[in-house]
Amino acid sequence: IAEDFGYNDPLDRDRLFGSNLALVGLVLSLPLSACIGFATDVVRSRRLLISATVLAGGLSTLWTGLATTYNELLICRFIQCAAMSGSVPCVFSLMSDWYSENERNAASSVFQAAMGAGILIGQCYSGFTTNLGWRHPFLVSGFATVVSSFLVLAFVTDPVRGGREGALNDMLSEGVEYNKRPTWKTCLASVQSNASNRLLILQGLFSSIPYGAMFVFFNDVLSSNKGLTVQDATFVVAVFGIGSAVGGIMGGVFGT
């Protein structure tokens, strides 16, 4: 990609297409991701929200495959990561109303495994189709994502909020709608007052550093500096996708 945009210096390649893209996508997009996650508990239709979020991610991925300038790549990366991160809490919100408390761990583990499988498939497909150019996997992935957004719109149904919460059964059976909505103040208060939340946030922050570095730089290091072919380097990185899928399933099984 760097060579296609006229950047042949290895330092420019690592800085512009490694660090900067990761910074824009994984850090600067966080406020927008948080807003999407917050909107999950505010909007009436979570189905429409997740469909729109997935559509935005798909269109930005298609745009990546058609980009002609570096700034376009930055914008696309920003939208992609915001949409991806923002869609996760929306999915968990839906699952909490589709499944009972005893079923949620298993359901969430399947979702986590699907995310790991997506990483695995994407890494393998892009690595083994290098002869078709770097734009090809973005166009294929973008098209598939756009299609999936319409599939969500067509087949996913909005469950009743709180419908699988035992404490709300009596209220819902009387036809009373559960309409409690969070505010920024209550969200901030829950983080500040709950030690478990603070510990989980810190754990997630620091444990994600090696995870992020692995997917940003590891493939490039193996293929450019360690003599592996792109296909072999891709396979090594794909192993982490397998581990992510297996870990998600095992966590759901034993968590239940």
Side-chain angles (χ1 to χ4, degrees):
I1 299 176
E3 292 177 359
D4 193 30
F5 283 86
Y7 297 97
N8 298 312
D9 189 313
L11 293 179
D12 285 339
R13 179 196 64 200
D14 292 342
R15 178 173 58 86
L16 297 174
F17 294 87
S19 299
N20 286 6
L21 284 178
L23 175 65
V24 169
L26 302 178
V27 178
L28 298 184
S29 68
L30 287 179
L32 181 56
S33 302
C35 289
I36 297 173
F38 183 80
T40 298
D41 288 325
V42 177
V43 298
R44 293 198 62 84
S45 176
R46 288 167 287 178
R47 176 178 65 94
L48 291 177
L49 176 62
I50 193 171
S51 179
T53 303
V54 173
L55 179 62
L59 291 176
S60 61
T61 304
L62 285 173
W63 186 8
T64 301
L66 301 172
T68 57
T69 66
Y70 178 71
N71 287 336
E72 287 182 72
L73 288 181
L74 289 176
I75 295 171
C76 292
R77 188 63 174 171
F78 176 84
I79 298 173
Q80 287 166 358
C81 289
M84 178 184 68
S85 300
S87 64
V88 173
C90 190
V91 171
F92 279 116
S93 176
L94 287 170
M95 288 196 297
S96 69
D97 289 329
W98 280 331
Y99 300 98
S100 66
E101 295 178 2
N102 295 330
E103 300 170 324
R104 286 173 195 162
N105 280 341
S108 64
S109 71
V110 173
F111 175 64
Q112 298 274 15
M115 293 177 64
I119 294 172
L120 172 63
I121 294 171
Q123 289 280 353
C124 290
Y125 185 81
S126 59
F128 290 107
T129 58
T130 52
N131 60 308
L132 299 177
W134 70 267
R135 297 178 185 273
H136 174 75
F138 284 101
L139 295 175
V140 172
S141 176
F143 176 77
T145 305
V146 170
V147 171
S148 69
S149 71
F150 287 104
L151 292 176
V152 169
L153 194 62
F155 296 106
V156 172
T157 58
D158 269 311
V160 176
R161 287 188 185 272
R164 301 308 297 269
E165 299 292 342
L168 300 177
N169 284 345
D170 291 340
M171 182 186 75
L172 295 174
S173 64
E174 294 174 359
V176 179
E177 181 181 356
Y178 177 72
N179 57 8
K180 184 178 180 180
R181 298 291 186 268
T183 64
W184 288 112
K185 183 178 180 179
T186 57
C187 290
L188 183 60
S190 69
V191 174
Q192 294 176 334
S193 62
N194 191 313
S196 296
N197 279 349
R198 294 197 297 271
L199 287 173
L200 286 172
I201 290 172
L202 288 173
Q203 183 271 338
L205 173 64
F206 291 106
S207 66
S208 294
I209 293 175
Y211 185 80
M214 190 68 65
F215 285 102
V216 172
F217 293 108
F218 197 42
N219 196 321
D220 185 57
V221 169
L222 291 178
S223 60
S224 300
N225 303 99
K226 298 301 180 180
L228 272 68
T229 65
V230 173
Q231 289 76 16
D232 288 342
T234 298
F235 177 77
V236 174
V237 176
V239 171
F240 289 89
I242 298 174
S244 177
V246 173
I249 294 174
M250 297 299 290
V253 171
F254 290 106
T256 303

